[in-house]
Amino acid sequence: MRATGRTVTAVIGAALLIGCVSGPAASKGPNETNGPNGSHGSHGTHGPKGHSAGDRVLVFSETAGFRHDSIPEGIAAVKALGAEHGFAVDATEDSRAFSARNLARYDAVVFLSTTGDVLTGGQQKAFERYIGRGGGYVGIHAAADTEYDWEFYGGLAGAYFQSHPAIQPARVEVEDRGHPATSHLGESWNRTDEWYNYRSNPRDRAHVLASLDESSYTGGTMSGDHPIAWCQEYKGGRSFYTGSGHTKESYADPAFRQHLLGGIRWAVGDTQADCRPEKGYTPLFDGSAESLSAWKQAGPGSFSLSDDGTLTSSGGLGLLWYDASQFGSYSLKLDWRMASASGDDNSGVFVGFPASEDPWSAVDNGYEVQIDATDAPDRTTGAVYSFQSADIKKRDRALNPPGEWNTYEIRVEGERLRVYLNGVKINDYTNTDPARSLRDGHVGIQNHGAEDRVSFRDVRIKELPVRPVRTAAHGD
């Protein structure tokens, strides 16, 4: 059982200057442009709930095999989501919509339980070019039972359908709670659907968002590693797939509708996420109170642990740091979210510091990767605090606004520190100060002060081989 509302004394001390030089960046769709200093240009006007005005989605549901009777409910659900969240939706069962000229009107195409061979060779080529130019793909359920002889499509969808047992309840294990398609879910999701088995496992090629617990139902054939929703960057475009959506009832389920909405938002580029394949990470904080036993607090303030496995900062200056081990060559990943509308929520991730009850030891002997979105360039999101700014243009394009989750990868190899925001490399810094050596040290998260509320989820690490690393110039 997870403790609810448990308070963990947390803290970190860094004398952080809070400026108001620039406001937080907002995600943008593929048709938006950036003006000076990363601001949005004329195509950057945002509509309801922060979505980009003018986004348009095509729902395609032609079938050449089995036809799902839930297709009308699926079309209605996507149209309702579009009306509520500010994107236009067209629906068709006519493959002639797959012309270069027509596809160019859309930010994403939803394959809604399509089956069999539904596109001609010319239409396939047009769709390949569409994806190559940055188009989005959303596959729902039987989209994996489509175009078996088209290699490009198989890679785009991520896996082909093999078989399924009877409709039944199952437990879905949510592996990534930073992606907008799954950030609203708990660590597990119990629902009833028709659960597909796939001909191959997409984990090596795509980023798995959720998988099935095969012990929770009968008929799973994927040897205990059974992805059911995933995303990937594919040949220039974005691809999101969910295996759910067989039943009519699915499309009336608020949790499933939010799942679809998050996948569509990511596919059209309205929100960002790290969709690179992820394997081999060990959790340092997995959302449970038990996992916090390996962490210690330094300085004032605290973090509260909610029953959905989220740590939220309170007070400070303080540091919650992982005491059980030091690390020297590693990839550290974690999800984080700012609370205030302005993005003026000061916090950061510290790396490479010695064990100490004094949070200022991390400030003086390690490095902080900043989160606050409102300070000077070398002290704001993605910066190695006070040492090196992130690439501002890349950072602005990759950063989700306050209230939405972001994912950091902080990769340390030798004295080289690289920062990835939602899968995009935004900083590349090499330490030259022996007092701040990155070759061995602890990791921690900051709670900065009473007005700063930053939340964290799923802190995980993968240790990397120790080898000589060639330094790279900033921005390479």
Side-chain angles (χ1 to χ4, degrees):
M1 295 292 292
R2 176 175 299 121
T4 302
R6 174 174 175 176
T7 297
V8 182
T9 308
V11 242
I12 165 175
L16 304 185
L17 303 177
I18 308 279
C20 296
V21 175
S22 62
S27 300
K28 69 185 188 68
N31 293 328
E32 292 183 278
T33 58
N34 282 336
N37 302 318
S39 62
H40 290 302
S42 59
H43 296 286
T45 303
H46 283 252
K49 299 185 183 296
H51 297 281
S52 300
D55 282 346
R56 183 173 291 273
V57 171
L58 176 65
V59 179
F60 179 57
S61 55
E62 184 175 346
T63 54
F66 181 84
R67 183 169 183 82
H68 286 74
D69 63 4
S70 61
I71 286 175
E73 283 77 8
I75 294 171
V78 177
K79 286 186 173 181
L81 290 171
E84 182 179 356
H85 296 277
F87 57 91
V89 179
D90 297 328
T92 187
E93 301 224 339
D94 188 345
S95 65
R96 289 176 296 180
F98 284 74
S99 67
R101 183 174 181 178
N102 190 56
L103 288 172
R105 301 171 57 225
Y106 297 99
D107 298 284
V109 179
V110 179
F111 278 61
L112 173 60
S113 284
T114 50
T115 54
D117 294 333
V118 289
L119 299 182
T120 67
Q123 293 161 356
Q124 291 174 358
K125 292 297 184 185
F127 190 60
E128 289 183 18
R129 289 192 293 270
Y130 166 78
I131 294 295
R133 292 169 181 163
Y137 165 89
V138 174
I140 301 175
H141 193 56
D145 188 25
T146 302
E147 297 289 354
Y148 288 95
D149 297 324
W150 181 14
E151 183 179 359
F152 176 91
Y153 183 84
L156 179 69
Y160 283 121
F161 163 80
Q162 183 176 57
S163 64
H164 66 78
I167 296 171
Q168 60 190 297
R171 183 168 57 253
V172 178
E173 301 295 348
V174 181
E175 298 190 22
D176 182 341
R177 298 174 65 216
H179 193 283
T182 46
S183 62
H184 64 294
L185 300 171
E187 293 175 325
S188 62
W189 184 21
N190 296 309
R191 63 183 318 273
T192 297
D193 215 316
E194 181 183 77
W195 302 112
Y196 276 7
N197 299 305
Y198 299 95
R199 296 185 181 187
S200 60
N201 191 318
R203 191 177 294 276
D204 288 335
R205 305 180 300 278
H207 180 73
V208 175
L209 302 174
S211 56
L212 288 172
D213 179 353
E214 289 192 335
S215 71
S216 68
Y217 73 107
T218 60
T221 64
M222 297 187 69
S223 302
D225 183 12
H226 195 143
I228 198 65
W230 54 82
C231 62
Q232 60 176 321
E233 305 274 353
Y234 186 78
K235 296 187 182 297
R238 291 184 171 191
S239 166
F240 166 81
Y241 171 83
T242 179
S244 296
H246 172 87
T247 66
K248 294 181 179 181
E249 293 78 10
S250 293
Y251 298 97
D253 175 6
F256 181 70
R257 288 166 72 104
Q258 184 67 32
H259 179 57
L260 283 186
L261 175 64
I264 292 169
R265 286 192 63 214
W266 178 79
V268 302
D270 271 349
T271 189
Q272 310 305 318
D274 188 348
C275 282
R276 297 172 298 165
E278 182 175 317
K279 294 179 69 175
Y281 283 80
T282 300
L284 301 183
F285 166 66
D286 63 6
S288 68
E290 291 77 11
S291 67
L292 287 172
S293 64
W295 295 73
K296 284 188 175 180
Q297 320 81 28
S302 64
F303 279 89
S304 61
L305 176 60
S306 65
D307 58 2
D308 71 348
T310 300
L311 278 175
T312 301
S313 63
S314 177
L317 294 162
L319 179 71
L320 180 64
W321 58 284
Y322 188 75
D323 176 53
S325 179
Q326 298 188 83
F327 303 100
S329 184
Y330 56 91
S331 167
L332 176 71
K333 285 192 174 184
L334 72 167
D335 305 326
W336 56 268
R337 179 181 64 187
M338 296 178 286
S340 68
S342 68
D344 189 4
D345 282 307
N346 205 320
S347 183
V349 183
F350 276 80
V351 296
F353 58 91
S356 176
E357 297 300 318
D358 179 5
W360 293 94
S361 178
V363 177
D364 296 334
N365 299 288
Y367 286 104
E368 178 189 9
V369 178
Q370 180 61 272
I371 286 175
D372 172 33
T374 61
D375 212 327
D378 67 343
R379 297 161 187 261
T380 191
T381 313
V384 179
Y385 186 82
S386 79
F387 288 92
Q388 182 165 285
S389 169
D391 182 313
I392 297 298
K393 289 184 178 180
K394 289 182 179 179
R395 191 279 310 276
D396 285 357
R397 286 193 289 267
L399 178 62
N400 289 324
E404 296 189 17
W405 288 94
N406 291 277
T407 299
Y408 265 160
E409 180 192 5
I410 300 171
R411 181 177 285 257
V412 174
E413 293 178 281
E415 300 293 355
R416 186 180 183 187
L417 187 162
R418 283 172 283 178
V419 180
Y420 295 78
L421 174 62
N422 295 322
V424 177
K425 188 173 75 171
I426 61 171
N427 210 334
D428 195 335
Y429 177 77
T430 299
N431 171 60
T432 58
D433 183 352
R436 296 179 182 271
S437 178
L438 290 165
R439 295 187 182 276
D440 203 16
H442 291 272
V443 300
I445 54 177
Q446 181 189 45
N447 58 300
H448 183 267
E451 302 302 319
D452 302 303
R453 294 184 65 248
V454 178
S455 297
F456 296 89
R457 281 178 175 171
D458 298 335
V459 184
R460 64 261 194 208
I461 200 163
K462 179 167 68 175
E463 297 194 67
L464 304 174
V466 178
R467 57 178 180 266
V469 178
R470 183 170 57 88
T471 60
H474 174 53
D476 287 354

